[in-house]
């Protein structure tokens, strides 16, 4: 097994604050706003992508973003952990707070933001490392190299991602040797290993077969007891199955945001109705 | 006609053209390998010794090396008659090794049973019939049969004695010399310190005492060596050449001997293997025309390794900056073009740069700063293995940069995003995800660099390669690796043996043999890197790579 040898400097401020979770979580009531998005506008150069998005995402609930391709739902998701920083020419206005932390503020450390907000991508992207190293990656980059801690985190995360039984005997093998669904669950295990507060999922099942999709959905359902989950999906049935609230986006605007049951039974907007009944999309 | 046009339209001729081009390429490569292998590997094969009696009554004996038609332009017998090239050896007796003999002049050809081929320390081989062995005035064996019996034991003893002498000469006396030289430099450093007004009296006394002790030791060892040489040098073996001249040879100087016309196939194979092995492990003798090439092999491998150690970090870091950090724009494009063009600069240009910059400027400065006591003798201010390796690193760094850049670019964006989304910094992402994923591609660059570096000769001639280096760049003296030392290199050795040696005809086959070793070493070095790369690839096998 290739063990990472470089350590982050001990005083780099990159330590995982597991205690933050412990202190905050019991105090927050289930269903209270966890993420607030206030008048967010985003443009790539001259291309205005998000228009005045304002919404609040509940703590420890699953919130689904739906909408046709190019409507800005993934872009908004990537605003939440500042992945848009990686793109040149992006301009963002408005305010996003996560548990009271203004994530775009100049004083906010982007590393800290991403540490607290995990992300699972559309295409599963394990590192070219062993399964074990994939899972403990977040801890290693935070400077944790204690074997017992890593082992514990690895087992807990893989169990949390419902992957433990399948891989416990081959943790040393490459993470790239797993099946598509397993790889995606490995990515989820990797995300929850650092105990984030929020998990963002960008179409996590779009490349998976129906059985693997079902497993991930069950997993999401189980995870929402501990984590706030935001999921972008093209699959309306999936949104209906897993989410508590659904937001419908169209051409960069938030058209409707309501409890999932309401949206799929009595949509409040003509556009939403047309979209979820399949008239366009 | 119609069929021909159709065939043209279908592109059939193109298949033939491209196929023939490939065929020619393969033929040329196979031909190259065959020429080198046949010429190089036949060099050690013991050939029969033929005794020729000419019509004028003179007798000569030797290996038949080759034959060719005699040119005689303007006459009817132009290229009609053959002549033979005979390797007669015995350069100390005849003054030459090879002799052309017109076929028409030969009266009789025979293969004398007792003819011996003797490899010795000087003057090339001795070819003759053994007559006696004597120690001082005492005759130990008389007649061919008796000497034949005694020879194997004598030669084995000679090998032991030689290594005993060498141990004293090279190691014990060599160590003392090294120590005396070190003390001389120390005393010189004390002179310099004294001229700056420091009190060095106490240290000087130490140094002088140590020097005196070493010199006394030197005397003892020299005496010991003289005694040993005296003791072992008393045995002589006398041979008589084909034309009846007697030649006495100290048994100590005999390296190998065999009765060429009595050898069985197994005997020939054993002589062949012994010669090949000796060629591999021995140092050269007789201005490189005899003996082996071990120092050249060692120098080549060590230089390539030092070069790799320098070129990989340099190239990878440069590629990382270009690909990961630099803002892609006109400047980066210009730098990239410049790097690519650097790969096309003639290698001798790098040699000139290495000489002017590394050797004279950097080396000269190092000497002035750290080795002032040795001046005016340069330490680093002259060609050496470090400067040669640095020059070659410069020569091959474009290859590493280009392939590293390609490897970095091939790491999928999604993988970087995954790492960044985990809260890794860009530096952590590069170190832990991007570089490991790009490692196989980077190693490909190293393989190309090594292949090019191992084969370069021209820049090395200016920066540290010599015809004969008395010491290897690694030995038992602190600091063990002597990067300032000059070294031998197979590529240069080939040139030197083939074209700079006093005995070109005898040395020519060694050109091919040395070439085989150069090829082997390049292949071995490459294979090592390829195996490492494949292991890495295998470890994280995926469709993405």
């Amino acid at each position: 097994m290739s063990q990472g040898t470089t350590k982050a400097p001990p005083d780099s401020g990159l330590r995982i604050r597991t205690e933050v979770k412990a202190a905050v979580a019991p105090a927050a009531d289930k269903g209270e706003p966890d993420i607030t998005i206030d008048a967010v506008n985003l443009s790539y150069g001259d291309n205005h992508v998000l228009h005045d998005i304002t919404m609040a995402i509940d703590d420890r609930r699953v919130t689904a973003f739906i909408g046709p391709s190019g409507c800005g739902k993934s872009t908004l998701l990537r605003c939440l952990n500042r992945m848009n920083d990686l793109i040149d020419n992006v301009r963002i206005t408005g305010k996003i707070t996560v548990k009271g932390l203004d994530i775009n503020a100049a004083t906010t450390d982007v590393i800290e933001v991403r540490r607290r907000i995990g992300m699972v991508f559309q295409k599963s992207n394990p590192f070219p490392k062993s399964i074990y190293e994939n899972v403990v990656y977040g801890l290693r980059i935070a400077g944790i190299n204690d074997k017992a801690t890593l082992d514990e985190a690895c087992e807990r995360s893989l169990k949390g991602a419902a992957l433990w039984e399948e891989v416990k005997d081959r943790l040393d093998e490459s993470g790239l040797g797993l099946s598509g669904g397993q790889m995606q669950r490995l990515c989820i295990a990797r995300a929850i290993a650092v105990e984030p507060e929020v998990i963002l999922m960008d179409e996590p099942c779009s490349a998976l077969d129906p059985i693997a999709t079902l497993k991930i959905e069950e997993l999401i359902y189980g995870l929402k007891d501990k984590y706030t989950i935001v999921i972008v999906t093209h699959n309306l049935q999936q949104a209906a199955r897993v989410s508590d609230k659904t937001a419908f986006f169209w051409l960069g605007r938030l058209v409707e945001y309501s409890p999932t049951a309401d949206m799929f039974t009595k949509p409040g907007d003509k556009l939403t109705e047309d979209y979820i009944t399949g008239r366009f999309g | 006609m119609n069929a021909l046009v159709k065939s043209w339209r279908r592109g059939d001729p193109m298949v033939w053209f491209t196929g023939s081009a490939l065929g020619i390429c393969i033929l040329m490569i196979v031909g190259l390998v065959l020429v080198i292998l046949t010429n190089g590997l036949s060099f050690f094969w013991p050939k029969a010794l033929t005794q020729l009696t000419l019509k004028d009554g003179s007798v000569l004996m030797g290996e038949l090396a080759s034959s060719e038609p005699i040119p005689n332009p303007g006459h009817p017998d132009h290229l009609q008659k053959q002549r033979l090239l005979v390797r007669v050896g015995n350069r100390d007796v005849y003054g030459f090794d090879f002799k052309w003999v017109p076929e028409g002049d030969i009266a009789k050809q025979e293969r004398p049973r007792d003819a011996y081929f003797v490899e010795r320390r000087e003057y090339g081989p001795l070819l003759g019939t053994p007559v006696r062995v004597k120690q001082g005035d005492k005759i130990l064996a008389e007649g061919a049969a008796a000497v034949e019996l005694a020879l194997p034991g004598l030669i084995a003893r000679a090998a032991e004695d030689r290594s005993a002498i060498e141990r004293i000469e090279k190691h014990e006396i060599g160590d003392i010399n090294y120590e005396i030289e070190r003390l001389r430099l120390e005393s010189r450093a004390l002179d310099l310190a004294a001229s700056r007004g420091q009190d060095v009296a106490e240290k000087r006394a130490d140094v002088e005492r140590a020097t005196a002790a070493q010199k006394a030791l030197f005397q003892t060892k020299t005496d010991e060596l003289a005694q040993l040489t005296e003791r072992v040098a008393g045995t002589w073996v006398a041979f008589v050449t084909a034309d009846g001249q007697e030649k006495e040879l100290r048994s100590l100087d005999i390296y190998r001997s065999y009765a060429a016309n009595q050898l069985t196939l197994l005997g020939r194979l054993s002589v062949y293997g012994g010669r090949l092995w000796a060629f591999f492990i021995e140092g050269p003798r007789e201005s490189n025309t005899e003996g082996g090439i071990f120092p050249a092999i060692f120098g080549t491998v060590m230089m390539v390794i030092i070069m790799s150690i320098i070129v990989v970090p340099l190239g990878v870091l440069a590629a990382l900056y270009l690909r990961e950090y630099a803002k892609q724009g006109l400047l980066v494009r210009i730098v990239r073009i410049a790097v690519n063009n650097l790969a096309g600069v003639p290698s001798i240009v790098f040699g000139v740069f290495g000489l002017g910059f590394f050797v004279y400027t950097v080396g000269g400065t190092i000497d002035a700063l750290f080795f002032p006591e040795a001046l005016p003798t340069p330490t680093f201010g002259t060609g050496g293995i470090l400067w040669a390796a640095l020059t070659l690193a410069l020569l091959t760094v474009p290859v590493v940069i280009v392939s590293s850049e390609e490897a970095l670019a091939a790491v999928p964006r999604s993988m970087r995003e995954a790492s960044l989304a985990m809260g890794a910094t860009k530096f952590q992402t590069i170190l832990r995800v991007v570089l490991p994923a790009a490692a196989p591609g980077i190693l490909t660059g190293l393989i190309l660099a090594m292949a090019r570096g191992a084969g370069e000769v021209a820049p090395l001639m200016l920066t540290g390669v010599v015809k004969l280096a008395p010491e290897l760049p690694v030995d038992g003296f602190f600091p063990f690796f002597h990067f300032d030392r000059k070294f031998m290199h197979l590529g240069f050795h080939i040139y030197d043996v083939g074209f700079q040696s006093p005995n070109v005809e005898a040395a020519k086959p060694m050109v091919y043999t040395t070439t085989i070793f150069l090829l082997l070493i390049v292949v071995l070095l490459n294979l090592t890197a390829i195996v490492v790369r494949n292991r890495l690839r295998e470890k994280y096998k995926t469709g993405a790579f």
Side-chain angles (χ1 to χ4, degrees):
Chain A
M1 177 188 316
S2 73
Q3 300 274 356
T5 48
T6 45
K7 288 180 181 171
D11 55 348
S12 63
L14 295 180
R15 296 238 161 249
I16 290 180
R17 301 219 193 121
T18 40
E19 74 274 17
V20 170
K21 176 87 182 159
V24 173
D29 271 327
K30 196 164 176 170
E32 286 301 300
D34 190 42
I35 303 171
T36 59
I37 300 167
D38 189 15
V40 166
N41 280 277
L42 180 143
S43 44
Y44 297 125
D46 294 335
N47 183 11
H48 200 161
V49 180
L50 293 177
H51 300 266
D52 280 325
I53 308 288
T54 299
M55 63 191 293
I57 292 168
D58 295 341
D59 184 29
R60 282 177 282 165
R61 292 274 196 246
V62 178
T63 306
F65 289 1
I66 60 169
S69 298
C71 69
K73 54 193 189 306
S74 283
T75 306
L76 180 63
L77 190 79
R78 294 165 74 92
C79 283
L80 301 182
N81 66 345
R82 286 183 59 181
M83 286 302 278
N84 284 326
D85 288 13
L86 305 178
I87 299 161
D88 292 335
N89 269 331
V90 169
R91 210 174 63 252
I92 304 173
T93 62
K95 190 175 175 186
I96 299 171
T97 60
V98 175
K99 288 232 164 37
L101 175 75
D102 180 355
I103 65 163
N104 283 321
T107 52
T108 305
D109 180 11
V110 64
I111 302 298
E112 180 65 20
V113 169
R114 291 185 189 148
R115 180 73 34 90
R116 290 169 63 174
I117 305 177
M119 187 159 187
V120 177
F121 293 81
Q122 175 176 6
K123 188 176 174 298
S124 61
N125 48 5
F127 301 125
K129 296 172 182 290
S130 65
I131 293 171
Y132 181 90
E133 285 300 321
N134 260 291
V135 178
V136 301
Y137 182 80
L139 288 90
R140 284 220 192 266
I141 58 173
I144 297 170
N145 281 312
D146 173 48
K147 182 89 173 73
T149 314
L150 295 183
D151 287 350
E152 188 274 325
C154 177
E155 183 172 345
R156 172 176 51 73
S157 314
L158 284 172
K159 280 179 174 160
L163 192 60
W164 176 251
E165 289 304 321
E166 290 159 61
V167 301
K168 66 180 174 187
D169 298 323
R170 46 175 175 142
L171 293 175
D172 289 349
E173 286 175 27
S174 170
L176 294 165
L178 299 173
S179 73
Q182 286 174 327
M183 277 205 265
Q184 195 60 295
R185 275 179 284 149
L186 179 63
C187 292
I188 294 174
R190 182 174 70 190
I192 62 180
V194 292
E195 304 194 353
E197 290 150 31
V198 180
I199 299 175
L200 309 177
M201 296 187 175
D202 192 355
E203 301 182 37
C205 305
S206 64
L208 302 181
D209 63 69
I211 292 168
T213 302
L214 195 68
K215 276 196 170 160
I216 302 269
E217 284 176 9
E218 281 168 5
L219 181 58
I220 293 170
Y221 205 78
L223 286 173
K224 74 173 179 179
D225 286 340
K226 286 177 78 180
Y227 309 100
T228 304
I229 294 173
V230 184
I231 178 169
V232 167
T233 180
H234 267 123
N235 181 335
L236 298 177
Q237 285 78 28
Q238 184 172 60
R241 282 194 297 266
V242 300
S243 68
D244 300 296
K245 277 181 142 182
T246 301
F248 171 61
F249 293 86
W250 189 66
L251 294 182
R253 289 170 209 280
L254 177 60
V255 176
E256 188 172 347
Y257 179 41
S258 53
T260 305
D262 294 351
M263 180 172 287
F264 283 93
T265 49
K266 40 184 191 300
D269 194 287
K270 181 75 173 69
L271 269 172
T272 319
E273 190 181 340
D274 287 352
Y275 181 69
I276 60 180
T277 52
R279 263 175 225 146
F280 73 96
Chain B
M1 195 62 212
N2 203 9
L4 209 62
V5 170
K6 261 188 185 164
S7 156
W8 176 261
R9 290 220 180 105
R10 269 204 312 271
D12 290 353
M14 205 55 199
V15 177
W16 283 100
F17 276 139
T18 49
S20 329
L22 178 68
I24 290 170
C25 291
I26 291 174
L27 264 180
M28 290 198 319
I29 291 169
V30 169
L32 172 124
V33 172
L34 276 183
V35 164
I36 291 172
L37 283 185
T38 47
N39 280 300
L41 290 180
S42 61
F43 176 48
F44 298 121
W45 189 251
K47 296 190 192 72
L49 294 177
T50 310
Q51 183 165 313
L52 304 174
T53 312
L54 303 189
K55 284 178 179 155
D56 62 3
S58 64
V59 181
L60 54 93
M61 183 177 75
E63 295 175 344
L64 299 184
S66 64
S67 69
E68 64 171 38
I70 304 172
N72 192 7
H75 293 269
D77 62 350
H78 178 50
L79 298 182
Q80 292 301 309
K81 295 179 183 163
Q82 294 282 320
R83 62 181 177 189
L84 302 175
L85 183 63
V86 186
R87 186 186 190 190
V88 293
N90 303 339
R91 184 151 25 104
D92 46 341
V93 182
Y94 302 136
F96 50 80
D97 277 281
F98 288 83
K99 191 175 165 68
W100 285 107
V101 181
E103 216 170 20
D105 292 358
I106 299 171
K108 199 167 77 171
Q109 276 198 33
E110 57 195 335
R111 290 187 171 173
R113 201 175 167 279
D114 295 331
Y116 260 72
F117 186 100
V118 183
E119 287 171 35
R120 51 183 173 168
R121 194 167 59 82
E122 297 177 298
Y123 300 118
L126 183 146
L127 275 57
T129 315
V131 282
R132 81 181 75 82
V133 181
K134 66 175 190 182
Q135 191 164 32
D137 294 332
K138 201 172 68 178
I139 289 172
L140 297 182
E142 181 87 57
V147 178
E148 265 170 39
L149 276 176
L151 262 179
L154 282 176
I155 291 170
R157 252 242 332 275
E160 281 169 27
D161 291 341
R162 271 197 309 270
S163 65
I165 289 173
E166 191 190 283
R167 194 165 52 242
I168 296 182
E169 257 180 356
K170 271 213 166 147
H171 296 275
E172 298 184 3
I173 294 183
D175 289 6
I176 294 167
N177 277 333
Y178 188 88
E179 192 61 20
I180 289 175
E181 173 63 11
R182 199 185 59 73
L183 288 164
R184 187 187 72 79
L185 291 179
E186 207 169 299
S187 126
R188 179 97 179 88
L190 289 176
D191 288 348
L192 292 177
S195 70
R196 287 194 301 269
Q198 291 173 20
D199 180 27
V200 296
E202 198 178 317
K203 280 185 184 163
R204 182 180 299 285
D206 283 349
V207 169
E208 272 165 13
R209 219 171 15 253
T211 311
Q214 290 293 339
K215 280 194 173 152
L217 199 59
F218 180 79
Q219 197 54 51
T220 332
K221 286 287 167 195
T222 322
D223 292 347
E224 198 182 310
L225 180 65
Q227 280 169 15
L228 179 65
T229 318
E230 175 81 36
R231 187 155 49 79
V232 300
T235 313
W236 296 77
V237 185
F239 291 88
V240 61
T241 63
D243 55 347
Q245 301 188 50
E246 195 171 302
K247 175 74 194 164
E248 284 195 328
L249 207 57
R250 281 201 310 189
S251 69
L252 190 64
D253 291 341
I254 302 179
Y255 281 72
R256 174 180 292 107
S257 76
Y258 57 87
N261 298 334
Q262 294 179 33
L263 282 179
T264 57
L265 181 66
L266 208 65
R268 277 176 210 280
L269 280 174
S270 119
V271 170
Y272 183 84
R275 279 173 162 179
L276 193 66
W277 180 243
F279 189 71
F280 178 63
I281 59 160
E282 276 178 11
R285 282 180 284 129
E286 283 276 76
S287 67
N288 295 354
T289 56
E290 303 256 337
I293 53 167
F294 182 72
I297 294 176
F298 189 90
T300 310
V301 172
M302 181 160 169
M303 192 216 47
V304 171
I305 290 174
I306 299 176
M307 181 203 80
S308 307
I309 291 172
I310 300 168
V311 79
V312 168
L314 197 67
V316 171
L317 288 177
L320 271 178
Y321 187 82
L322 274 179
R323 176 61 59 181
E324 303 286 332
Y325 289 109
K327 199 167 157 57
Q328 305 296 319
L330 186 66
L331 191 67
V332 167
R333 280 226 324 266
I334 292 173
V335 169
R336 231 174 241 143
I337 291 168
V339 165
N340 282 328
N341 282 331
L342 210 57
V345 172
S347 56
I348 191 76
V349 175
F350 285 96
V352 171
F353 173 80
L355 182 70
F357 181 72
F358 292 132
V359 176
Y360 291 151
T361 311
V362 181
T365 313
I366 291 176
D367 277 358
L369 291 177
F370 300 106
F371 303 98
E373 67 275 8
L375 287 172
T377 313
T379 308
F380 277 97
T382 177
I385 194 163
L386 177 65
W387 302 140
L390 267 171
T391 307
L392 279 196
L394 205 65
L395 179 94
T396 50
V397 81
V399 181
V400 178
I401 292 181
V402 168
S403 37
S404 301
E405 259 210 274
E406 274 165 16
L408 291 173
V411 177
R413 185 190 164 82
S414 67
M415 218 174 260
R416 291 162 205 262
E417 282 192 341
S419 171
L420 292 168
M422 293 298 298
T425 60
K426 185 162 187 172
F427 175 69
Q428 285 172 323
T429 303
I430 288 173
L431 202 65
R432 286 164 178 269
V433 176
V434 178
L435 273 183
I442 292 171
L443 274 170
T444 305
L446 173 64
I447 290 165
L448 293 173
M450 284 202 309
R452 175 143 194 226
E456 278 299 342
V457 178
L460 301 180
M461 289 164 72
L462 301 186
T463 53
V465 154
V466 284
K467 180 186 173 73
L468 184 67
E471 292 157 311
L472 294 178
V474 176
D475 65 18
F477 294 111
F478 185 81
F480 310 116
F481 290 92
H482 302 274
F483 294 119
D484 56 319
R485 283 197 186 152
K486 293 180 188 298
F487 65 108
M488 292 176 72
H489 184 275
L490 282 170
F492 182 70
H493 197 77
I494 291 169
Y495 168 71
D496 181 74
V497 163
F499 303 99
Q500 303 290 294
S501 98
N503 192 4
V504 173
E505 199 63 48
K508 216 163 34 183
M510 283 180 75
V511 169
Y512 293 102
T513 321
T514 315
T515 309
I516 293 178
F517 275 91
L518 178 60
L519 274 180
L520 258 172
I521 285 190
V522 173
V523 168
L524 271 181
L525 284 170
N526 280 326
L527 265 183
T528 317
I530 288 170
V531 166
V532 172
R533 180 184 64 183
N534 290 353
R535 283 253 170 91
L536 279 176
R537 273 194 189 148
E538 197 66 27
K539 198 166 168 191
Y540 303 120
K541 203 167 170 183
T542 160
F545 296 99

